[in-house]
Amino acid sequence: MFWHPLLLAIISAQIVALLLLLAGSLTSLNTALHWQPLSADSRQLSLEARAEGVSIQGRAAFWLSVFSAVLLVFGITNIFAEDIPGAMCGTGVCQAMSPRGSTQLLLYTGLLLLLMQLWHEMDKLNRMLVEMPLTDITARLFLVIPAVAVLTLKQTYASFAGIRPHQPVDCCAVVYDQFTTLKHAKSILGLGDAFWISAFIVLSLALFSLSVALRTSMVDRPGIRGLHAIISCLWLPVASLTLVNIFSAYHYEVLHHHCPWCLFLPEHRLVGYPLYGALYVIGMEGFTLFMLPRLANQDITVYKKALDRCRRAANRITFAQLLFLIIAILPAIVWRLHYGVWMSG
Amino acid sequence: MFNTLQIWAFRDILRRPFESLLLAVTLTFAIATVGTLLLFPRAVYDTLTVVLKATPSIILRQVDPTGWRPLPIRESVQAATSVIGVVSVRPRIWGMVNGPDGPLTVMGVQQEGLPEILADPLTRLPAKGQAIVGWGIASHDPAGTLPLEGAIRQTYQVIHRLPEQTSMFTHDLVLLNPLDAQQLIGLPQGYASDLAIDVFHEDEQDAILSDLTAAFPWPVRCVTRRQSAGIYAGGFNRGRALGAITMIPAVLAMCLLVAVNTRKSMGRQSDLGIMKAMGWTTGDIIRLHLYRDLFVCLPSVALGSCLCFFLVYGPGADGLAGFFLGWDTLPPRLYLETKGAVTVLLEVAGVMVAPVMASALLPALKAATADVHELIEGAGRR
Amino acid sequence: MNSKITCRNLSVAFSGENSRTRSVLDNINVTFPAGKMNIITGPIGAGKSTLLHTMAGLTRPTSGEVVVNDQAVSRWSGAHRDQWRRQAGIIFQHCHLLHELTVLENIMLPLIPLGHTVSHCRSQSIAALKQVALFHHAGRLANSLSGGERQKTAIARALVTQPHFIFADEPTAHMDAENSRQMMELLYHCTGRNAVVIVATHESILNRLPGPALCYRLENGALNHLTD
């Protein structure tokens, strides 16, 4: 078993969040089953009062989940490695957890944040209007979240319980074992760097244009939102792959060190935080931008508010994308200007 | 500079000066206690890291089924230098002997291959029959002699004392002439305790181990600097986590005490009800509580942090080292790195400040959903 | 602004002993217009305070709605209900002053969260204090005041923001005839700026009203219109 005060903080935050979610579940179930907004009878008024309580509990659970997720990433990238012999960054920590365990942990945490973010946006939208027209939909969404929160908590415990602090890991071997030949190292999924760079440029331009179009458009454009979602879904993996396999070389100043976690280290100026932070913002806001108008289409007033929120989401995506591009690409451009060649020749 | 709500919050504190003072004092001492418990192991760990950075990349020892045994210097150096990537090899003569107050570490030193830590504080090297001692070793003899017992019993003339700030590990160290050290430890002529090996690149420490082991005709055991750091860190952090677990109930109990005592008068639900009836929103009330508690908590956090820093790094370190580690003599000087300080501050914030702030906000959050009429009912009964 | 408050099928019940519910207001339907004095009378325990509190957003109805300008304010969610209360000035039967605050600070209380400067809040509160002739008590602690003075402070506190809706629960119960007349005149003055003024009081005061009023009687949970 692996022990660290930070792990204690992460698990405590997750438990409190789960308790809050469970406490709100019963009211959410009642709300989902018996919500009658046109009626002013005692059951409906009682549900309205209790739904407000669930909203507060849910918000507290949301911020606790965000807090625990940030601590988890901070711990994996910068803190836990020092307790595991041979681990130099998050790769070593993940290796110590077992690759499957760490992947599951990150997936569950991501899924939980995604669902909670959507619920939080819906709840915010709901509270903007005096009639709270989205209460029943948010209640249904709320009912899904505790299940994922349980899985996340269980996986956090299982992953860290699996670490044997005295058993050394070989951090770099994990990174370098990904390829056996130099040709292999220069390709991603069998396709060369040139293909991925081209794909990244095309998709970045497309995403940027669509985000700007959605940000400036005064009318509803569901088609563009759909296209934006597709491009976002393509851009995120392509951006991650090109970052780790191509652009990271200019941060590390070493070729073929395809490590996604070393970017978080202080020796690389902690660039992983803004870079992955930008990817997180684009992912979350992209999801919100696509889902929110679909879930809030019952009422014209709330739909308009949802569209306003979509414009803000497009705005955030634009800024996050610019931040990502600047931080990811700038070292490569500086290298090219300084040495006259690209690192890969 | 301050808005109306902040001025109102400050006025609120002045309305109950003793309660606010009590909260501030309790919080300051709590932060100092918890901070010290978290900071001290961190400081030891950071010191260890600093010291380990100055140690050789790899320590190599000869082993047999009975444990470790001395290495023949000439053959060992030859075998180690034959490995590609090894930059320097230094045979070391050291061991544990009995001093007047308990076990001490004895080390044979000569100008060639003097460890970096000792290069600066040493003005001269010990000749035969002479000793240079660490800061923590007390000499009971007014003539300045030090009796030591290992393979033989011998008394040495103390010619110099290493300065306090040299290093944590020179605290109980006795530096002798290499021949004296060999005799005292019981090493045969031409043998060393182990080899200190430096490699070309930090990352090669692990990669070179198999080549190094294969280069020796007898079984050897190697420990890299990184492994040492990891083993110590793991131990310290597990200790810290267990310490934190045992500390949490005490801290929570105290927080609850503080919260209950404070809220009894400061956070009366009926007052909140009246404020809400007068047009205060939940947000306004939360902000008021937040400002009020920040005005009290921020100075407490600053003062508590200073106090725990003073206890760990200042004159208070004497008592602390004696309490935690049983060091009766003067404690070694400890280091603190930025990362360590930030981690401890975050932990203190998480364990201490967050619960106190949460206790301050709880009545306001409770008031958010409660009926204002129900909140005020208490005032009606007053 | 020509506002009105409507109670639509309004019922309020409280859970009593042995988890039995006690109905206080039963299916009330009434509209209180702006610019007129609305007086609600009734025996002790009839539910006058509950009705005022429900309309002012201090308590939720068990069923039915309170509608203001076509908006069911009683069903609004927390943050919106907080905003609704900002438009209302409430005078409690038991005054509910904050006892550790001075008279002036009590009157400043509704102004603090509105974002005005301290000096503005202070000058407005002093003006309100002068209206109720309590300026000379500004620095005294609220718990050192007499019953009548407390009621005057509570009235000044309710009127300091010049609200569009005023709910007064027995505002003159502890005052002599002269003070009582002055305070009622002050409330009548508010109807002049088209505010909705609803006063819950005893029937004995009806003969001594300084102007016309719409009178209602609340009994056995039902509200009946008496006379203009």
Side-chain angles (χ1 to χ4, degrees):
Chain A
M1 181 67 194
F2 177 84
W3 276 115
H4 194 285
L6 202 65
L7 182 60
L8 221 61
I10 293 167
I11 292 180
S12 308
Q14 284 182 346
I15 289 174
V16 177
L18 180 61
L19 289 176
L20 286 167
L21 289 169
L22 289 174
S25 295
L26 193 65
T27 303
S28 293
L29 185 66
N30 270 328
T31 309
L33 292 174
H34 306 297
W35 190 252
Q36 298 284 339
L38 295 178
S39 160
D41 64 4
S42 56
R43 186 167 72 177
Q44 173 62 19
L45 295 194
S46 158
L47 269 182
E48 286 174 9
R50 282 188 287 152
E52 270 188 57
V54 173
S55 166
I56 291 175
Q57 285 168 349
R59 272 179 277 161
F62 170 70
W63 288 113
L64 275 170
S65 302
V66 171
F67 175 67
S68 75
V70 169
L71 283 189
L72 182 72
V73 171
F74 177 60
I76 289 177
T77 53
N78 294 90
I79 301 294
F80 300 144
E82 62 188 33
D83 289 14
I84 298 166
M88 285 176 278
C89 66
T91 302
V93 179
C94 291
Q95 193 195 0
M97 283 181 200
S98 89
R100 190 157 168 256
S102 59
T103 311
Q104 277 184 348
L105 174 61
L106 293 172
L107 274 177
Y108 285 141
T109 309
L111 182 63
L112 179 67
L113 287 183
L114 203 68
L115 286 173
M116 292 215 75
Q117 162 85 9
L118 186 61
W119 175 85
H120 187 244
E121 290 302 336
M122 296 272 292
D123 181 63
K124 258 204 301 200
L125 210 60
N126 194 28
R127 282 183 290 112
M128 270 183 203
L129 298 167
V130 290
E131 305 89 359
M132 296 182 76
L134 298 174
T135 308
D136 53 340
I137 299 174
T138 50
R140 278 178 224 160
L141 187 59
F142 191 91
L143 286 171
V144 183
I145 298 170
V148 184
V150 169
L151 286 174
T152 311
L153 178 64
K154 184 181 160 287
Q155 191 57 47
T156 308
Y157 177 78
S159 298
F160 283 96
I163 294 179
R164 293 192 185 94
H166 293 297
Q167 190 174 314
V169 294
D170 199 341
C171 208
C172 288
V174 177
V175 173
Y176 292 117
D177 282 355
Q178 290 174 44
F179 41 82
T180 46
T181 62
L182 193 61
K183 193 184 167 199
H184 193 187
K186 282 179 158 179
S187 68
I188 311 166
L189 305 173
L191 297 164
D193 285 358
F195 169 82
W196 291 103
I197 293 275
S198 312
F200 178 69
I201 293 170
V202 170
L203 288 171
S204 294
L205 284 172
L207 184 67
F208 187 79
S209 322
L210 289 171
S211 301
V212 171
L214 281 173
R215 190 169 69 116
T216 50
S217 170
M218 283 297 117
V219 289
D220 183 19
R221 292 183 187 279
I224 293 188
R225 277 202 310 274
L227 196 58
H228 188 279
I230 294 168
I231 298 292
S232 299
C233 287
L234 290 171
W235 186 84
L236 280 169
V238 169
S240 311
L241 284 171
T242 47
L243 172 67
V244 173
N245 291 275
I246 299 165
F247 298 128
S248 66
Y250 296 92
H251 290 277
Y252 301 142
E253 300 190 340
V254 174
L255 258 180
H256 312 312
H257 181 69
H258 300 169
C259 178
W261 295 99
C262 279
L263 289 167
F264 289 94
L265 296 177
E267 29 294 29
H268 303 302
R269 293 169 291 281
L270 306 167
V271 288
Y273 287 100
L275 282 170
Y276 287 97
L279 290 177
Y280 171 82
V281 169
I282 293 170
M284 289 291 170
E285 293 293 326
F287 186 63
T288 307
L289 192 149
F290 179 66
M291 289 300 292
L292 207 58
R294 287 171 172 265
L295 292 171
N297 59 1
Q298 296 173 326
D299 181 289
I300 186 69
T301 326
V302 81
Y303 188 70
K304 278 182 182 168
K305 296 261 183 203
L307 291 182
D308 286 343
R309 177 65 186 86
C310 286
R311 276 184 209 104
R312 282 204 302 281
N315 205 16
R316 285 177 195 174
I317 290 172
T318 311
F319 282 112
Q321 200 189 356
L322 284 174
L323 179 78
F324 180 87
L325 290 173
I326 290 167
I327 299 175
I329 297 173
L330 200 63
I333 293 169
V334 170
W335 181 282
R336 181 73 169 78
L337 292 173
H338 194 255
Y339 298 107
V341 285
W342 297 112
M343 215 182 229
S344 51
Chain B
M1 188 182 169
F2 293 106
N3 66 32
T4 311
L5 208 57
Q6 286 161 348
I7 295 167
W8 192 261
F10 192 69
R11 177 83 181 92
D12 235 13
I13 292 172
L14 295 181
R15 282 190 196 105
R16 303 175 189 90
F18 293 112
E19 283 164 23
S20 307
L21 192 69
L22 180 71
L23 177 67
V25 169
T26 319
L27 197 61
T28 304
F29 282 111
I31 286 172
T33 314
V34 174
T36 306
L37 285 173
L38 291 168
L39 188 64
F40 185 69
R42 185 80 223 181
V44 175
Y45 170 67
D46 280 352
T47 310
L48 199 73
T49 312
V50 171
V51 171
L52 281 173
K53 274 183 192 161
T55 59
S57 306
I58 300 167
I59 306 288
L60 184 142
R61 283 176 160 190
Q62 185 181 352
V63 286
D64 68 5
T66 59
W68 74 276
R69 39 175 313 191
L71 284 159
I73 294 176
R74 201 166 53 83
E75 290 90 334
S76 305
V77 171
Q78 219 167 27
T81 43
S82 69
V83 175
I84 296 168
V86 170
V87 176
S88 73
V89 181
R90 201 158 27 91
R92 302 194 306 182
I93 297 164
W94 69 277
M96 302 294 287
V97 295
N98 281 327
D101 293 322
L104 295 172
T105 309
V106 163
M107 192 172 179
V109 284
Q110 53 191 352
Q111 195 61 50
E112 194 186 322
L114 196 64
E116 210 176 297
I117 292 172
L118 299 173
D120 286 339
L122 278 185
T123 49
R124 57 178 170 151
L125 292 172
K128 207 149 169 31
Q130 292 180 333
I132 295 171
V133 297
W135 182 253
I137 298 172
S139 173
H140 300 289
D141 182 13
T145 58
L146 181 71
L148 296 173
E149 187 185 349
I152 57 163
R153 182 191 286 263
Q154 184 87 34
T155 301
Y156 300 90
Q157 183 68 38
V158 178
I159 56 163
H160 183 60
R161 187 179 287 265
L162 293 170
E164 186 190 357
Q165 65 271 20
T166 309
S167 160
M168 182 183 179
F169 288 93
T170 60
H171 187 67
D172 65 343
L173 191 68
V174 180
L175 301 176
L176 297 177
N177 180 283
L179 291 174
D180 278 351
Q182 258 176 345
Q183 279 175 359
L184 189 65
I185 299 162
L187 281 178
Q189 192 74 22
Y191 277 76
S193 308
D194 58 23
L195 287 187
I197 298 170
D198 282 314
V199 294
F200 179 68
H201 197 278
E202 176 86 5
D203 293 337
E204 285 174 354
Q205 282 175 22
D206 297 310
I208 217 166
L209 288 185
S210 52
D211 295 345
L212 207 56
T213 315
F216 283 80
W218 54 79
V220 290
R221 185 164 181 264
C222 302
V223 179
T224 63
R225 185 194 296 155
R226 200 176 283 153
Q227 282 171 342
S228 312
I231 290 163
Y232 287 122
F236 273 117
N237 279 318
R238 272 190 299 283
R240 268 153 52 80
L242 290 173
I245 293 169
T246 53
M247 203 164 58
I248 283 170
V251 169
L252 285 182
M254 193 181 55
C255 284
L256 276 174
L257 192 73
V258 170
V260 167
N261 275 336
T262 316
R263 292 307 121 202
K264 214 160 123 185
S265 49
M266 286 174 89
R268 275 189 288 236
Q269 297 281 304
S270 55
D271 288 3
L272 299 185
I274 293 167
M275 286 160 87
K276 288 198 91 173
M278 293 301 119
W280 286 60
T281 62
T282 306
D284 295 329
I285 293 174
I286 287 176
R287 273 196 295 279
L288 178 78
H289 280 86
L290 207 62
Y291 292 143
R292 200 166 62 182
D293 280 60
L294 279 178
F295 283 141
V296 177
C297 286
L298 283 182
S300 299
V301 169
L303 208 64
S305 306
C306 289
L307 210 59
C308 77
F309 189 86
F310 180 79
L311 278 170
V312 175
Y313 295 98
D318 291 15
L320 216 59
F323 179 75
F324 281 109
L325 303 173
W327 290 338
D328 300 328
T329 52
L330 290 175
R333 194 180 128 136
L334 299 173
Y335 295 87
L336 179 66
E337 292 193 336
T338 318
K339 194 175 152 193
V342 170
T343 314
V344 169
L345 272 178
L346 278 177
E347 285 165 356
V348 168
V351 176
M352 287 304 305
V353 183
V356 172
M357 294 301 286
S359 78
L361 296 180
L362 213 60
L365 283 174
K366 201 180 159 202
T369 48
D371 253 3
V372 179
H373 177 251
E374 279 173 22
L375 291 172
I376 297 173
E377 263 187 356
R381 286 194 293 267
R382 230 169 33 198
Chain C
M1 186 174 168
N2 200 4
S3 311
K4 61 180 180 185
I5 296 187
T6 304
C7 297
R8 202 181 280 162
N9 303 323
L10 191 74
S11 299
V12 176
F14 293 122
S15 51
E17 287 168 13
N18 304 329
S19 41
R20 288 167 65 184
T21 54
R22 186 172 65 90
S23 177
V24 181
L25 303 176
D26 185 21
N27 210 27
I28 286 176
N29 286 287
V30 67
T31 297
F32 299 104
K36 288 194 175 173
M37 176 64 76
N38 299 278
I39 305 278
I40 302 172
T41 61
I44 293 168
K48 301 188 290 291
S49 302
T50 304
L51 179 59
L52 287 189
H53 290 178
T54 310
M55 284 192 288
L58 304 188
T59 190
R60 287 169 184 269
T62 311
S63 63
E65 298 166 331
V66 176
V67 180
V68 175
N69 300 331
D70 299 326
Q71 294 275 349
V73 291
S74 62
R75 294 178 70 180
W76 281 4
S77 58
H80 298 282
R81 221 170 39 248
D82 288 345
Q83 292 297 331
W84 153 240
R85 276 195 294 271
R86 260 187 197 176
Q87 297 177 47
I90 304 157
I91 302 158
F92 291 100
Q93 187 179 1
H94 299 291
C95 302
H96 292 324
L97 302 177
L98 294 183
H99 292 218
E100 287 159 340
L101 271 58
T102 63
V103 171
L104 184 67
E105 284 171 339
N106 262 294
I107 294 169
M108 283 168 78
L109 198 64
L111 296 167
I112 296 297
L114 299 182
H116 305 304
T117 60
V118 175
S119 58
H120 180 266
C121 296
R122 208 180 146 80
S123 59
Q124 218 169 320
S125 305
I126 287 172
L129 263 182
K130 281 178 179 166
Q131 275 188 312
V132 294
L134 271 185
F135 178 59
H136 54 291
H137 290 314
R140 278 176 65 185
L141 284 178
N143 58 7
S144 67
L145 299 175
S146 69
E149 286 166 343
R150 283 183 195 190
Q151 275 192 320
K152 281 183 171 183
T153 309
I155 291 169
R157 184 178 65 178
L159 302 184
V160 70
T161 53
Q162 300 197 318
H164 293 296
F165 303 89
I166 297 162
F167 304 95
D169 191 1
E170 308 270 11
T172 59
H174 299 104
M175 291 183 200
D176 56 32
E178 178 54 22
N179 276 315
S180 178
R181 189 188 56 78
Q182 282 175 6
M183 291 305 113
M184 285 307 287
E185 271 178 8
L186 200 57
L187 291 174
Y188 264 94
H189 182 70
C190 296
T191 60
R193 54 177 175 82
N194 230 9
V196 178
V197 182
I198 307 170
V199 179
T201 186
H202 290 292
E203 275 169 21
S204 57
I205 208 170
L206 292 180
N207 316 330
R208 293 184 275 127
L209 286 177
L214 292 170
C215 298
Y216 304 86
R217 181 173 173 79
L218 183 64
E219 202 165 10
N220 299 326
L223 189 73
N224 300 307
H225 189 204
L226 286 179
T227 173
D228 286 1

